[in-house]
Amino acid sequence: MAIKVNYNPAWLSWVASTTTCLRYHGLNVDEVDVAGHSGYAFRMVVARDVCPSGPTVFDWNELNQGIMCLGRSVRSEMGIYHGDSEEIKASLDRARRDLLEFVHHETQAGNPVVIWGTYVPEFGVATAVENDRYICSSFREMTGEEQPPLAHDELHDLGIVYGLSFPHAQPMDPARSDAEALRRAARLLNQPDLQGFYRSNRGAYESWINALLNNKVNAFGNAYNASCWAEQKQFARDFLSRLADRMPDARGSLEEAAGVFGEVHGHMQDFAELFAFPAGEAVEQEESRSEGVRLLELAEELEERAALAVAHAARDSEQAQQTTSEAGAD
C-alpha cells in the first residue's frame, strides 16, 4: 500500500518534494524552511543559452547537511552515468534497479523518497513500489494530470540516478541550525562564479542578459528559469526575515538583506510575468527582451547588496558567539 502524502507544490521541485517528505514525518516546516536551511534559496545557476537545466546544475548532496539541521537523518542513493558505451548503459540499468530496491525498502519502512525523473526531468516523491513500479506524487498534483506507475527505466532521469529518504528523527539545536544556515547562505551568495557554460551568482545574471541581448535564448528555458528564480528570491527574502526575528545579534543586517531580496523578487516576478510559463511569443519581441534585460540588471545590482548584507550578518553572528564563549570561559 502506498504512503499517503500531501504534495507541497513549488517550482523548485526538490524543495517541494523534500518539504512533502519532512511534513509526512511530522516536521512543522514549509518550503521557506527547506530552501533556506538547505541553501537552495541562495544558489543561482544559469546556462549560457538559459536552457531549463540551470536550476538543478550543482551537487545535490550539498543540500543534505541543512536538512539534517532541521531534525531528520538522510539516506541517499545516487549515481551519474553519461555516455553511450554498452558498459555505461549496463551500469546505468543496474543503478536504476538498485534505486528501485532502495525505494522499495524505504517505503516499506514508512519513508517516502525524493526521486529524480518523475514524468519529466524533475523531482517527485515515491510513495511505494508495486509490481516493480514506482507509485509517485509529483508536480502533476498541480496540473491534475494522471500519475501512472513508472518502471525502473521509465524515469526521465537523464542518466542521473537519485533517491533521498529521511528515515530517523535527529536531535537538533535551533540556534545552531540557524547560525549554520546563515553561514551557508553567506558562502553561497559570495562564492566565485562557476564560469564555463553554466555560471553562478553575478555570472548567472550576465549569461542571461547576454542571451537576451544577442537573441540566443532558449524560449522554454527562459520562462522556466524565470519562474524558478523568482520563487527562489521569495524563499530567500522570507527565510532571512525569519532569521532576523530569531537572531538579534545580526538582526539589522538580516532585515536589510531580506528587504533587498524583496526588491529582487519584485523584479524577478515582473520578469516571470513578462515571459510567462510555458514559453510564449514575448521572447521573440525585441521590446520584451530589452525590458527583460532592464529587470535583470536591476535584480543583479540589488542581489550584490543583499549578498554583502548576508555576509555582514554572518560576521556579526560569529562575533557575538565568540564574545559569549569568551565570557563563559571567564
Side-chain angles (χ1 to χ4, degrees):
M1 180 179 295
I3 295 168
K4 300 296 183 183
V5 299
N6 294 315
Y7 191 81
N8 291 58
W11 281 101
L12 296 176
S13 58
W14 184 91
V15 173
S17 301
T18 298
T19 303
T20 297
C21 292
L22 295 179
R23 289 179 68 86
Y24 171 82
H25 284 301
L27 270 63
N28 183 24
V29 298
D30 62 11
E31 292 80 9
V32 173
D33 297 313
V34 170
H37 278 284
S38 69
Y40 215 138
F42 306 104
R43 298 176 180 273
M44 185 175 177
V45 181
V46 173
R48 186 178 299 154
D49 63 351
V50 202
C51 71
S53 60
T56 55
V57 177
F58 59 89
D59 183 355
W60 300 340
N61 288 320
E62 293 179 358
L63 300 167
N64 295 349
Q65 184 61 44
I67 296 306
M68 290 190 286
C69 288
L70 285 172
R72 295 295 299 191
S73 67
V74 299
R75 183 178 291 159
S76 65
E77 184 86 12
M78 185 173 182
I80 300 175
Y81 304 87
H82 292 155
D84 296 324
S85 71
E86 292 304 313
E87 182 180 0
I88 291 176
K89 289 178 181 178
S91 295
L92 174 58
D93 187 68
R94 287 194 299 271
R96 285 170 170 165
R97 293 180 186 275
D98 288 345
L99 177 65
L100 187 73
E101 184 60 31
F102 171 78
V103 172
H104 178 68
H105 176 272
E106 290 300 305
T107 53
Q108 284 283 92
N111 302 316
V113 182
V114 179
I115 61 172
W116 167 250
T118 50
Y119 309 108
V120 295
E122 290 284 356
F123 296 95
V125 177
T127 59
V129 172
E130 297 178 358
N131 299 318
D132 287 335
R133 282 174 162 76
Y134 296 106
I135 307 300
C136 300
S137 184
S138 72
F139 71 95
R140 290 190 172 187
E141 302 284 342
M142 295 188 294
T143 62
E145 298 174 79
E146 292 185 1
Q147 301 184 94
L150 296 169
H152 77 283
D153 57 354
E154 291 178 334
L155 294 176
H156 292 246
D157 59 24
L158 305 178
I160 304 173
V161 176
Y162 178 85
L164 182 69
S165 70
F166 314 92
H168 305 299
Q170 182 167 294
M172 49 88 72
D173 179 341
R176 182 175 180 179
S177 294
D178 284 347
E180 289 185 7
L182 178 55
R183 286 194 293 270
R184 187 176 298 111
R187 175 177 58 80
L188 291 170
L189 288 170
N190 294 282
Q191 67 184 0
D193 181 13
L194 289 174
Q195 299 297 328
F197 185 77
Y198 294 98
R199 299 187 66 188
S200 60
N201 299 343
R202 183 171 187 174
Y205 284 106
E206 291 177 355
S207 275
W208 206 340
I209 288 167
N210 288 335
L212 289 170
L213 287 174
N214 297 316
N215 195 17
K216 294 182 178 180
V217 59
N218 181 303
F220 179 87
N222 183 67
Y224 177 74
N225 274 265
S227 294
C228 286
W229 298 128
E231 179 180 72
Q232 184 225 26
K233 306 310 175 188
Q234 178 182 344
F235 289 156
R237 176 199 68 190
D238 294 348
F239 184 70
L240 292 171
S241 180
R242 292 179 185 183
L243 288 186
D245 290 338
R246 301 194 294 256
M247 302 180 72
D249 295 317
R251 180 171 293 142
S253 294
L254 285 169
E255 288 178 342
E256 177 188 354
V260 177
F261 261 118
E263 295 182 66
V264 175
H265 170 252
H267 294 313
M268 294 303 294
Q269 187 60 40
D270 288 344
F271 187 98
E273 292 173 1
L274 178 63
F275 300 105
F277 185 87
E281 298 178 357
V283 76
E284 300 175 6
Q285 301 167 358
E286 184 175 355
E287 182 179 355
S288 296
R289 294 196 303 274
S290 295
E291 174 62 7
V293 167
R294 186 185 74 85
L295 292 169
L296 290 177
E297 288 176 340
L298 290 171
E300 177 187 3
E301 182 179 354
L302 287 163
E303 189 156 332
E304 286 190 63
R305 285 175 48 198
L308 286 175
V310 171
H312 291 159
R315 180 200 60 200
D316 293 344
S317 174
E318 290 178 5
Q319 288 178 346
Q321 289 178 356
Q322 183 177 358
T323 300
T324 301
S325 298
E326 291 173 351
D330 293 340

